Amino acid sequence: QVQLVESGGGLVQAGGSLRLSCAASGLTFSASALGWFRQAPGKEREFVAGISRSGVFSKYTDSVKGRFTISRDNAKNTVYLQMNSLKPEDTAVYNCAAALSTIATSNIVITEGIRYDYWGQGTQVTVSS
């Protein structure tokens, strides 16, 4: 059974930092493309950041570029999202996701939620002004 478990969310003041972690089990982590999404109240889920299976390539939504960094540790089956210079508009539930990938697509970063196979339950991030 595949499980993705997020942690690291919480309440932080604007300008602060948080590091989200997502621990995976039950899947071949090193063969997966990974992503972080978020959903704020009353809004649709949006792509935040993604990293390729190879770990070489990453993408970010424009609003977080230069502030957020996605990384992966295949030895720990964990993907991270380092969030700096947080803003109140970053407040949302953050979910990690995993997509089975092949060697042929190992450098592809997936930005569409529908293309992910597995999802975590989410962790709340609240940024106060």
Side-chain angles (χ1 to χ4, degrees), residues 18-129:
L18 285 173
R19 187 175 81 153
L20 305 184
S21 300
C22 174
S25 60
L27 80 165
T28 305
F29 185 83
S30 61
S32 301
L34 304 163
W36 286 95
F37 290 75
R38 67 186 180 187
Q39 187 167 19
K43 295 187 177 182
E44 292 187 353
R45 183 179 64 195
E46 68 168 338
F47 169 80
V48 176
I51 189 166
S52 62
R53 163 180 166 157
S54 66
V56 174
F57 296 96
S58 59
K59 288 184 180 179
Y60 302 87
T61 192
D62 286 345
S63 62
V64 308
K65 285 180 180 177
R67 300 189 298 123
F68 290 12
T69 303
I70 187 171
S71 61
R72 63 188 297 161
D73 186 338
N74 289 346
K76 295 182 178 180
N77 284 5
T78 301
V79 59
Y80 303 98
L81 185 66
Q82 178 66 45
M83 306 186 296
N84 299 328
S85 302
L86 283 161
K87 303 175 180 180
E89 51 263 44
D90 294 318
T91 295
V93 174
Y94 285 70
N95 296 87
C96 65
L100 299 176
S101 179
T102 65
I103 292 177
T105 59
S106 61
N107 288 328
I108 300 296
V109 179
I110 300 173
T111 61
E112 304 93 343
I114 196 171
R115 294 178 59 191
Y116 281 90
D117 301 299
Y118 306 105
W119 293 83
Q121 291 298 310
T123 186
Q124 175 71 46
V125 171
T126 303
V127 184
S128 63
S129 58

